Structure formats: structure tokens, C-alpha cells
């Protein structure tokens, strides 16, 4: 089952990469772009047909390795095969 | 208008970061995780109330700066305020 994990910095945590992108956009003439924030998404397959188990495994992976839960939030999206 | 841009490596492009995460997961006992791919998402506000214009501006930003279109695909999601 395919799972997409979206990892983003918590509100209030400084995002230097986002700020740098914002500056670059402005200097290229995109001065209508504001509040740029950068996050990560991790796509993976988990060997199970049970969506709730896939969700639970992905959450465990985030807690243990993928996200730094002090400064990052994560969101898990399980892609149901149709 | 808030826009989320999802940037991911094209299929077939080697993803060393994803591979490293896959190895780390396996060594932590998550041997049910496969095909790990890592992408980026960029959230920004664009000064317009017109969703199609926001989409068009975001696409232009991707082409000019945000994505490396030789090896990366991008997907634009305009968040309509409700």
C-alpha cells in the first residue's frame, strides 16, 4: 500500500530555505509571492493491504526516524488502490 | 491565495536520499517499507484572488527557479479559501 508522508516545519520555526527561496523569487520579479515555506514528502510502499495498519506503521516510522517531532509536523496520506 | 507545489524526481532518476532512508528504515526493523522516494513541497502565498492566475504564476516560478525540469516533475495545488 502506497503511503505519502508530508513533513513540514511547525509554525513559528524559522525556515531559512523558504526565506532564501522567497528572496530569490523576489529578485527574479515574482514579488507577488509571500510566506514561502519548504517541506519534504516521502513516498513509500508498505507491505500490507490494511490502510489503518499502513497508517500506523508510517506514523511509527515518522516518530522513530523520518520526522524531528520537536520542530516538525507530519501528515500521513494512505493511497488506496482503486 | 495559498499554493502548494509538490516537486518530485522523475521516474527512473536515482534517488540516493530515498535509498538511504530505505536502508535506515530496514536497519531499524521496518523491513515492510519499500521504494522510498523523497520529494519537496513548497507552500507559498500568491497575491491574487484568481485561482487560475495563481496556478499560472506558480508554474512560471517552477519553470524559472523552483524545479529542475530535466530531472524533476512538479504538481501545483491551489488551496481555495472557503
Amino acid at each position: 500500500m502506497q503511503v505519502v508522508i508530508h513533513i513540514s516545519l511547525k509554525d513559528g520555526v524559522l525556515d531559512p530555505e523558504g526565506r532564501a527561496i522567497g528572496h530569490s523569487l523576489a529578485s527574479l520579479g515574482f514579488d507577488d509571492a509571500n510566506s514561502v515555506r519548504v517541506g519534504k514528502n516521502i513516498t513509500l510502499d508498505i507491505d500490507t493491504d490494511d490502510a489503518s495498519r499502513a497508517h500506523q506503521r508510517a506514523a511509527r516510522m515518522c516518530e522513530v526516524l523520518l520526522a524531528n517531532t520537536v520542530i516538525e509536523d507530519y501528515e500521513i496520506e494512505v493511497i488506496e488502490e482503486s
Side-chain angles (χ1 to χ4, degrees), chain A residues 60-80:
Chain A
R60 188 91 193 95
M61 289 173 200
C62 286
E63 295 289 338
V64 171
L65 176 74
L66 301 178
N68 177 348
T69 52
V70 177
I71 56 168
E72 292 173 329
D73 285 326
Y74 60 86
E75 215 172 283
I76 295 165
E77 186 187 344
V78 178
I79 316 278
E80 311 262 357

Side-chain angles (χ1 to χ4, degrees), chain A residues 9-58:
Chain A
L9 287 168
K10 287 185 200 269
D11 286 343
V13 176
L14 212 69
D15 180 358
E17 190 181 356
R19 185 165 290 198
I21 291 175
H23 283 302
S24 299
L25 284 172
S27 72
L28 287 167
F30 295 107
D31 36 21
D32 50 354
N34 295 302
S35 316
V36 184
R37 304 278 288 172
V38 180
K40 221 165 24 180
N41 49 46
I42 299 174
T43 308
L44 69 166
D45 288 328
I46 296 181
D47 286 340
T48 174
D49 291 328
D50 178 349
S52 81
R53 176 161 165 80
H55 192 286
Q56 180 199 326
R57 289 293 283 171

